[in-house]
Amino acid sequence: MSTIPKKFDKFLAASSVSKNINHQPDSSKETPRNTPEKSYPFSDQIGNYQRNKGIPTKSYKDNKVYIIGSGIAGLSAAYYFIRDGHFTPENIHFIEQLAVEGGSLDGAGNAKDGYIIRGGREMDCTYENLWDMFQDIPALELPAPYSVLDEYRLVNDNDSNYSIARLIHNKGTVQDFSKFGLKKKDQLAIIKLLLKKKEELDDIKIEDYFSEAFLASNFWTFWRTMFAFENWHSLLEFKLYMHRFLHAIDGLNDLSSLVFPKYNQFDTFVTPLGRWLKEKGVTIQLNTLVEDLILDTSNENKSVTGIKATQNGQDIIIPIKDDDYVIVTTGSMTEDTSYGTNTTAPVLTIDNSNSGKSPGWQLWKNLAAKSPIFGKPEKFCSNINQSSWESVTLTCKPSAFVEKLKEYAVNDPYSGKTVTGGIITITDSNWLMSFTCNRQPHFPTQPDDILVIWVYSLFMDKEGNYTKKTMPMCTGNEILAELCYHLGIEEQLDNVIENTIVRTAFMPYITSMFMPRAKGDRPTVVPEGYTNLGLVGQFVETNNDVVFTMESSVRTARIAVYELLNLNKQVPDINPLQYDIRHLLKATKTLNDDQPFLGEALLRKVLKGSYFEHILPPNADHQEDHEKESFFVEQFGKFKEWVSHIKD
C-alpha cells in the first residue's frame, strides 16, 4: 500500500483536483454539465464507478482512531477507516458509555423475561451508503462469501412487503386506506413546498405551513405514523423527506415501497458489523463515559489533544497525538430511556426540568460552550413534551390477541414471511396507537410458539379511550387493555394478559432530531479548521439527506473519514430519483388520488406506441375525458379567466 502513492507522486502533485476534493457534493446546487474542468462524477451519479478504492495521501499504519459512541455511525466510521483509509484495525478504539455496542440499534431479551426493541427500521433500496458498507460485511446466517446485503435481498426479493390493514378503527374494523384524501389546495401546498429553497424554512413548524384539512387527511396519518412526525416538527425536515422518498410515495398507503430485515435491528446490522470489526482487531471499551474534549485552538489548524473520561469511577485523560483522529457521536435519541413492565409504568411524571442534562447530551453541550461552530444542542434536547414517545414490545404466546392479529396478516404469523407488512394505525385511538408484527422469529433464538410485536403511540400525553390515563403513566397490562379495547377483544383481556409479556420504553428524545431548526444549529461533520475531529450521527449537518435513518448515520461517518483523510473519493448525494420525470409524474398523480393531471391525456396521445410511453403512470380505469376534473385543469381554467379579464 505504501508504495502506491510513490508511483503517482509526480502525477498527483501536478493535479489541482487532488488537493481540493469536495467530499460531499450537493446535487441541489449543481447543474449536471460536462466541461473540461469536470473530472469527478455528478454529485448524485451513483453506480459502480463510485466503487473505486481510495488512495490515501500517506500511510496510516501507526495512526490511532478514538470513536466515542458505538452506534451505527461510529461502527461505520471504523469500517471506512479500515476499508478506504487502510488503517491498522488494532489502532481503532471505541469508547462507549453503555454496557453493549449498537447505540439506538438495540434488541435484547428472551422468551422467559420478554424481548425488548425500542424501535425498528423501515428500510429503502436507495440507501447507497448503507448498502455500500453492508455488501462487504459477511452475512449473519448465510455462509461465506455472502454478505448482509445478499441475505437482505434474498429475504425481500422472495417475500414482498405490503399491508392489508394499514388503518383500523371502530373496534378493529379495517378502514379504507386506498386514498390520501388531500384537498386540492393542500396538493398545491406540497408542490410549493418542494419548490421552496431550504434556506427559507429555518425554524418553521409543519403546522405553521399546512392547513387543518391537510393535518386531518389520510396522507398525514400515513406519513406521521410511518416516520413519527408531529405537527410541531420541522417543516424543513418534512421537505427533505418528501424529496428523499418521492419515489416511494405511491407505496405510502399500503407500505409496499418498504423492505424489512429478517430479524431485529441489532441482530441484522450491529451483530455482523461488530463481529467483522472485532475479528479485524478493533477494540471496544464499554462502560466508559466521555465528558469532554481538550481542544487546541491556538492556531489556524485546530485539533483535539485529549479526551476527558470516567472509567470504573476514575477520571482519566486519553492523550491524542497530532496524527490521531477522534470521532464523536453528538447527542442521543434514546438517552434517558425509562422502562416499565406488565405491572409497572415507565415514568410517573414527565419532568422537563432535567432535559438534556444526561451524559449523552453533556459532551455535545460542553463542546458547544467552547465555540458556536459546534451548534446549539439545546434546540433539540430542551422540550421533552415535544420530542418524546413511548414504545412497547409484546412477547406473545398464543392468545385472543394473536388470533385477532391473524385477521390483519398478509401471511400466517408463524410462517416466517411478511405478517402485517408494517405498522397498523388505530385512527380513532386517543393515543394514535400503532402496532406491527414483522417477520417471525424476530430474534434468531426465539421459540417457535412466540411472536414479538412492537407498539408505539404519537399522542401518548392524552388520556386513553379505555384506560383514561396518559400512556407513560400506564402499566404494561393497562396498555394491553387499551389495545384490546381498540381491537374489540377487551372481554378476552385476561387471556391476553396471561399470555403476553410487556416491556415498555419511554424515550424523552426519540424525535428530538425533528425539532424545528435553523442553519448553524447542527455542526458540520468536520468542524471548520479542525484537522483530526469528526462529528457523526443524527445531529450533524449534511446537504440533502434526512434524519432518523440508518443511512444518514452511515453517510456522516463516511463523510468524516473522507474529509479528514482527504481521500480521492466522494460520498454521492442522495439518490437522484427526485429528478426523474417518471417519479415526478407518478407523485403528481398519486397525491391527487390517481386522478389525471394537467396535460395527461395529451401526453398519452403523443407518447402512445413510442419508446417513452412507459414514463406515464398507469391509467387505471380513468378515461381521458376525466381530465377536466383534475385540479390542475381547474387551476388552468382560472388562469385563462384571469388573463381574459386583464385583456378586457
Side-chain angles (χ1 to χ4, degrees):
M1 166 55 220
S2 60
T3 61
I4 294 177
K6 293 180 180 179
K7 296 180 180 180
F8 286 87
D9 274 350
K10 185 176 180 181
F11 174 76
L12 293 176
S15 169
S16 61
V17 176
S18 63
K19 300 178 182 63
N20 299 287
I21 299 169
N22 180 7
H23 294 97
Q24 52 167 334
D26 188 347
S27 61
S28 69
K29 293 181 169 59
E30 178 188 55
T31 300
R33 181 168 178 260
N34 289 301
T35 67
E37 296 77 27
K38 179 70 176 171
S39 60
Y40 270 82
F42 300 127
S43 52
D44 53 6
Q45 190 171 323
I46 59 174
N48 289 333
Y49 192 70
Q50 299 281 17
R51 285 286 290 164
N52 66 299
K53 291 181 173 61
I55 301 178
T57 55
K58 64 176 185 177
S59 172
Y60 294 101
K61 181 172 63 72
D62 298 321
N63 298 64
K64 293 183 179 181
V65 178
Y66 296 89
I67 301 176
I68 301 169
S70 64
I72 188 63
L75 295 172
S76 303
Y79 166 81
Y80 282 111
F81 271 116
I82 294 170
R83 192 195 77 174
D84 292 333
H86 304 288
F87 275 65
T88 304
E90 288 83 0
N91 288 337
I92 299 176
H93 309 286
F94 279 91
I95 306 174
E96 171 60 60
Q97 74 175 92
L98 301 176
V100 63
E101 69 268 28
S104 298
L105 293 183
D106 60 356
N110 54 64
K112 179 178 178 294
D113 303 312
Y115 295 98
I116 185 163
I117 39 176
R118 288 182 291 186
R121 289 295 175 266
E122 298 166 330
M123 306 293 288
D124 190 85
C125 303
T126 64
Y127 287 176
E128 302 301 333
N129 296 288
L130 181 86
W131 301 128
D132 172 81
M133 177 173 64
F134 278 112
Q135 69 179 324
D136 291 339
I137 301 302
L140 180 69
E141 294 179 327
L142 286 176
Y146 297 106
S147 70
V148 171
L149 173 60
D150 299 327
E151 200 165 55
Y152 204 100
R153 287 211 53 175
L154 183 66
V155 171
N156 283 277
D157 289 354
N158 293 280
D159 182 25
S160 180
N161 188 83
Y162 63 97
S163 172
I164 61 172
R166 177 64 180 87
L167 304 178
I168 62 174
H169 67 156
N170 192 23
K171 295 297 192 75
T173 303
V174 176
Q175 188 175 345
D176 180 17
F177 57 94
S178 61
K179 305 294 183 185
F180 283 173
L182 286 169
K183 293 185 180 298
K184 292 167 182 178
K185 66 176 182 178
D186 294 319
Q187 296 175 44
L188 184 59
I190 291 175
I191 293 171
K192 287 181 176 178
L193 179 63
L194 290 173
L195 294 174
K196 285 182 179 294
K197 292 185 176 181
K198 293 174 290 185
E199 293 77 12
E200 300 176 44
L201 304 175
D202 284 357
D203 285 328
I204 299 177
K205 301 175 183 177
I206 292 168
E207 62 190 1
D208 292 338
Y209 178 82
F210 285 109
S211 69
E212 289 295 328
F214 172 88
L215 299 175
S217 68
N218 271 2
F219 173 87
W220 185 235
T221 299
F222 296 142
W223 189 280
R224 73 184 315 167
T225 53
M226 178 176 170
F227 295 120
F229 272 87
E230 301 276 16
N231 293 358
W232 52 79
H233 281 155
S234 167
L235 181 65
L236 170 60
E237 193 61 35
F238 174 77
K239 172 185 168 65
L240 294 175
Y241 263 76
M242 283 293 299
H243 289 281
R244 187 71 169 85
F245 297 110
L246 189 73
H247 62 279
I249 198 167
D250 58 330
L252 186 62
N253 58 335
D254 64 4
L255 302 174
S256 58
S257 56
L258 300 178
V259 287
F260 282 99
K262 181 182 180 184
Y263 295 124
N264 65 84
Q265 55 194 358
F266 185 87
D267 286 305
T268 299
F269 299 110
V270 176
T271 297
L273 179 54
R275 181 171 59 195
W276 183 85
L277 291 172
K278 291 172 186 174
E279 288 175 353
K280 291 287 185 182
V282 173
T283 62
I284 299 182
Q285 177 63 53
L286 302 172
N287 299 307
T288 303
L289 172 64
V290 173
E291 298 170 339
D292 203 358
L293 302 181
I294 302 172
L295 308 177
D296 180 2
T297 60
S298 59
N299 53 54
E300 185 177 347
N301 291 328
K302 305 177 181 68
S303 64
V304 179
T305 60
I307 298 173
K308 292 183 178 180
T310 301
Q311 186 179 71
N312 300 321
Q314 299 293 318
D315 292 336
I316 61 172
I317 292 180
I318 302 171
I320 303 298
K321 299 178 181 178
D322 290 341
D323 55 359
D324 293 339
Y325 294 90
V326 176
I327 302 295
V328 176
T329 301
T330 54
S332 170
M333 69 173 79
T334 51
E335 184 76 2
D336 290 341
T337 300
S338 300
Y339 299 97
T341 65
N342 283 72
T343 55
T344 62
V347 295
L348 297 178
T349 183
I350 298 177
D351 184 4
N352 207 48
S353 63
N354 292 319
S355 62
K357 295 182 179 179
S358 54
W361 290 97
Q362 200 58 51
L363 173 58
W364 185 14
K365 284 189 168 185
N366 289 340
L367 290 175
K370 302 177 194 295
S371 171
I373 68 169
F374 292 110
K376 299 176 181 177
E378 65 275 4
K379 290 286 287 284
F380 306 96
C381 64
S382 299
N383 193 338
I384 291 175
N385 291 320
Q386 294 191 351
S387 65
S388 60
W389 44 256
E390 181 177 351
S391 75
V392 184
T393 312
L394 308 179
T395 303
C396 305
K397 293 180 180 178
S399 68
F401 170 65
V402 172
E403 290 304 307
K404 188 66 178 180
L405 177 71
K406 292 178 180 179
E407 297 179 18
Y408 308 128
V410 175
N411 299 292
D412 183 278
Y414 300 99
S415 67
K417 301 183 70 176
T418 293
V419 185
T420 62
I423 59 171
I424 296 171
T425 296
I426 305 168
T427 58
D428 55 354
S429 162
N430 286 352
W431 293 347
L432 195 58
M433 179 184 279
S434 298
F435 63 96
T436 181
C437 181
N438 290 323
R439 295 182 181 100
Q440 303 291 313
H442 202 48
F443 288 80
T445 59
Q446 183 179 319
D448 292 340
D449 64 337
I450 295 293
L451 297 180
V452 175
I453 316 295
W454 187 75
V455 183
Y456 97 109
S457 298
L458 280 178
F459 300 163
M460 55 168 198
D461 56 326
K462 300 182 183 300
E463 287 189 353
N465 303 73
Y466 185 78
T467 62
K468 306 303 179 186
K469 295 168 67 174
T470 63
M471 188 179 181
M473 314 314 169
C474 287
T475 66
N477 288 343
E478 289 172 327
I479 293 171
L480 277 182
E482 186 75 16
L483 179 59
C484 288
Y485 167 78
H486 284 294
L487 297 179
I489 56 172
E490 66 270 30
E491 293 183 358
Q492 297 168 281
L493 178 59
D494 289 344
N495 169 263
V496 175
I497 290 176
E498 182 182 355
N499 291 285
T500 309
I501 300 173
V502 184
R503 303 280 297 275
T504 58
F506 173 77
M507 294 168 283
Y509 312 107
I510 190 60
T511 56
S512 53
M513 70 292 293
F514 284 164
M515 295 298 285
R517 66 176 187 269
K519 185 177 181 180
D521 290 343
R522 303 188 305 184
T524 57
V525 175
V526 176
E528 184 178 0
Y530 279 84
T531 59
N532 68 346
L533 174 62
L535 307 178
V536 298
Q538 297 294 312
F539 299 93
V540 294
E541 199 66 51
T542 59
N543 290 331
N544 297 306
D545 213 344
V546 298
V547 294
F548 216 174
T549 66
M550 287 179 60
E551 166 70 1
S552 56
S553 288
V554 178
R555 175 182 294 278
T556 62
R558 197 176 182 187
I559 291 170
V561 174
Y562 288 11
E563 286 196 4
L564 287 171
L565 305 184
N566 194 29
L567 288 176
N568 64 318
K569 281 180 69 70
Q570 292 180 316
V571 180
D573 206 346
I574 65 173
N575 196 293
L577 293 178
Q578 60 172 315
Y579 303 116
D580 188 323
I581 186 63
R582 297 168 298 174
H583 292 289
L584 288 169
L585 292 173
K586 179 185 70 175
T588 301
K589 192 162 186 173
T590 301
L591 289 172
N592 200 36
D593 283 332
D594 283 333
Q595 295 298 309
F597 54 81
L598 175 63
E600 181 177 339
L602 178 60
L603 272 174
R604 290 193 183 281
K605 288 179 180 178
V606 171
L607 299 178
K608 187 173 179 60
S610 77
Y611 179 81
F612 292 100
E613 184 177 11
H614 71 287
I615 71 171
L616 291 166
N619 201 23
D621 297 326
H622 304 305
Q623 301 299 317
E624 291 178 356
D625 61 355
H626 285 181
E627 186 180 3
K628 64 180 181 292
E629 299 172 3
S630 166
F631 163 61
F632 300 100
V633 172
E634 175 187 321
Q635 296 302 309
F636 185 63
K638 291 180 179 179
F639 174 73
K640 288 198 298 183
E641 183 180 351
W642 176 74
V643 171
S644 66
H645 287 161
I646 292 178
K647 289 181 178 179
D648 293 342

